C-alpha cells in the first residue's frame, strides 16, 4: 500500500517508519528497498485487503496522475486504487479470476478497469476513427468483465468497445491518451457531491457551471485559498457549491 496512517495523517513509506493500516488498523512497516516501489506492508506479512496486489512502478505512476486524496480510498474492507468523481478506477497488472472480476464489479458498482497490457501480445490495426486488434494469447478472464476496459499499451490506452469471446480472439476500440483519460475521469457530475478536501479552481472570467478549468485537491483553507497563473486569477471553490446547482 502507498499510504498508512501515522499520527492521524496519511503518509507514504520512508525508511524505518511504522504506521497503521487504514483498513484494519493493524501495524504496518515501511518497505523501502531498491527493487520494488517503496510501500507499507503488514507486520504479519499478509494484507487484510484480499484484492490487493503488489505495488509496482506501473501502479504508482498511474496513481500519481490523480490527486493524493483520490488514491487508495478505503471503501468497506477494501482499498480502491483510485476513487474519482466518476467512480472507482481499478489498476490491474496481474492475472485474476473471473470470480474476482465479478466480485469487484458488484462491490464497487460504478467503476472501470485499467489493465497493464504491455505484454498482451496484441496486433493492432489503426482504422482511422477506431482500431481493431487480435489477441494471440488472451486472458479469458476479461471476456467476462461487464465494466469498461482500458488497455494500457505503455504510451497510450485503448478504450475497448468489444472483445470477441472466442478463438482467435479479437476486438475493437479507440486510442486514448493518458491526459484525455485523466481529464475525463476528473470531471464532476452535476448533482454529485465530491469528497471532503477537494477544491476546484475556476478561471474568474469563465466562472460557469459547464466550463471547468481544472480541479485538484489542496490542503488549504477554503476561505483564503487563491492562486494565480499568468494573466488569469483563480479562486478555490468547493465543488459541492457548484456541482449541485441545476
Amino acid at each position: 500500500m502507498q499510504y498508512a496512517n501515522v499520527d492521524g495523517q496519511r503518509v507514504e513509506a520512508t525508511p524505518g517508519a511504522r504506521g497503521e493500516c487504514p483498513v484494519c488498523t493493524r501495524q504496518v512497516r515501511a518497505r523501502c528497498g531498491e527493487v520494488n516501489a517503496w510501500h507499507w506492508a503488514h507486520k504479519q506479512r499478509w494484507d487484510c485487503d484480499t484484492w490487493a496486489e503488489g505495488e509496482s512502478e506501473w501502479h504508482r505512476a498511474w496513481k500519481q496522475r490523480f490527486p493524493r486524496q483520490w488514491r487508495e480510498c478505503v471503501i468497506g474492507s477494501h482499498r480502491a486504487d483510485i476513487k474519482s468523481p466518476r467512480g472507482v478506477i481499478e489498476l490491474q497488472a496481474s492475472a485474476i479470476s473471473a470470480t474476482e472480476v465479478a466480485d469487484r464489479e458488484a462491490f464497487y458498482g460504478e467503476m472501470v478497469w485499467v489493465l497493464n497490457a504491455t505484454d498482451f501480445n496484441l496486433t493492432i490495426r489503426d482504422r482511422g476513427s477506431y482500431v481493431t486488434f487480435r489477441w494471440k494469447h488472451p486472458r479469458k478472464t476479461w471476456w467476462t468483465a461487464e465494466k469498461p476496459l482500458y488497455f494500457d499499451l505503455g504510451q497510450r490506452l485503448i478504450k475497448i468497445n468489444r472483445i470477441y469471446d472466442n478463438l482467435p480472439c479479437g476486438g475493437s476500440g479507440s486510442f486514448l491518451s493518458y491526459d484525455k483519460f485523466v481529464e475525463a475521469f476528473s470531471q464532476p457530475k452535476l448533482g454529485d457531491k465530491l469528497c471532503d478536501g477537494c477544491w476546484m479552481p475556476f478561471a474568474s472570467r469563465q466562472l460557469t457551471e459547464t466550463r471547468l478549468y481544472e480541479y485538484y485537491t489542496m490542503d488549504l483553507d477554503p476561505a483564503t485559498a487563491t492562486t494565480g497563473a499568468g494573466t488569469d486569477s483563480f479562486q478555490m471553490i468547493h465543488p459541492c457549491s457548484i456541482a449541485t446547482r441545476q
Side-chain angles (χ1 to χ4, degrees):
M1 70 184 78
Q2 184 176 3
Y3 296 102
N5 294 331
V6 178
D7 296 329
Q9 301 294 321
R10 268 169 45 104
V11 300
E12 297 191 46
T14 54
R18 296 190 180 189
E20 183 180 276
C21 173
V23 177
C24 69
T25 71
R26 291 186 175 91
Q27 187 182 82
V28 291
R29 295 179 177 179
R31 303 295 184 189
C32 303
E34 297 181 358
V35 177
N36 298 321
W38 289 10
H39 64 282
W40 296 94
H42 286 76
K43 182 179 179 181
Q44 296 84 358
R45 295 187 178 276
W46 54 265
D47 198 316
C48 62
D49 186 349
T50 56
W51 293 344
E53 64 175 335
E55 182 85 349
S56 67
E57 292 295 343
W58 177 80
H59 289 89
R60 190 63 55 86
W62 264 103
K63 291 177 183 179
Q64 295 295 112
R65 292 186 170 99
F66 291 91
R68 184 173 179 269
Q69 275 83 343
W70 297 3
R71 309 171 199 162
E72 291 192 0
C73 290
V74 176
I75 302 176
S77 59
H78 298 287
R79 301 187 305 272
D81 289 321
I82 300 162
K83 187 176 185 299
S84 84
R86 296 285 175 172
V88 167
I89 302 170
E90 279 290 270
L91 309 171
Q92 194 64 35
S94 60
I96 60 174
S97 68
T99 299
E100 186 170 329
V101 169
D103 288 347
R104 290 200 210 181
E105 292 183 342
F107 181 80
Y108 288 128
E110 191 169 6
M111 65 160 292
V112 300
W113 296 95
V114 175
L115 311 182
N116 186 350
T118 54
D119 63 349
F120 275 14
N121 200 2
L122 301 173
T123 301
I124 302 170
R125 291 188 177 182
D126 190 345
R127 308 287 186 175
S129 60
Y130 68 101
V131 300
T132 58
F133 61 87
R134 283 292 183 93
W135 196 352
K136 188 173 182 180
H137 300 292
R139 298 184 182 180
K140 298 178 183 179
T141 289
W142 299 112
W143 292 355
T144 68
E146 296 184 359
K147 300 300 182 180
L149 295 174
Y150 293 82
F151 286 1
D152 182 358
L153 304 177
Q155 295 180 327
R156 56 184 170 178
L157 303 160
I158 295 181
K159 180 182 180 181
I160 301 300
N161 295 331
R162 184 172 182 179
I163 294 180
Y164 298 98
D165 55 353
N166 52 36
L167 296 174
C169 179
S172 62
S174 55
F175 286 132
L176 185 68
S177 70
Y178 296 136
D179 287 345
K180 289 295 184 182
F181 179 92
V182 172
E183 179 182 355
F185 283 90
S186 295
Q187 301 296 329
K189 294 181 178 179
L190 289 177
D192 284 355
K193 288 190 176 182
L194 306 187
C195 59
D196 292 340
C198 293
W199 302 96
M200 186 184 302
F202 290 80
S204 59
R205 65 188 181 189
Q206 297 173 343
L207 184 54
T208 68
E209 294 178 7
T210 58
R211 182 153 183 167
L212 301 179
Y213 190 86
E214 79 175 304
Y215 72 100
Y216 48 87
T217 302
M218 299 188 69
D219 297 322
L220 295 174
D221 183 344
T224 59
T226 57
T227 186
T231 58
D232 289 324
S233 177
F234 303 96
Q235 182 177 4
M236 300 300 175
I237 302 173
H238 197 282
C240 294
S241 68
I242 297 295
T244 56
R245 296 179 188 174
Q246 299 295 328

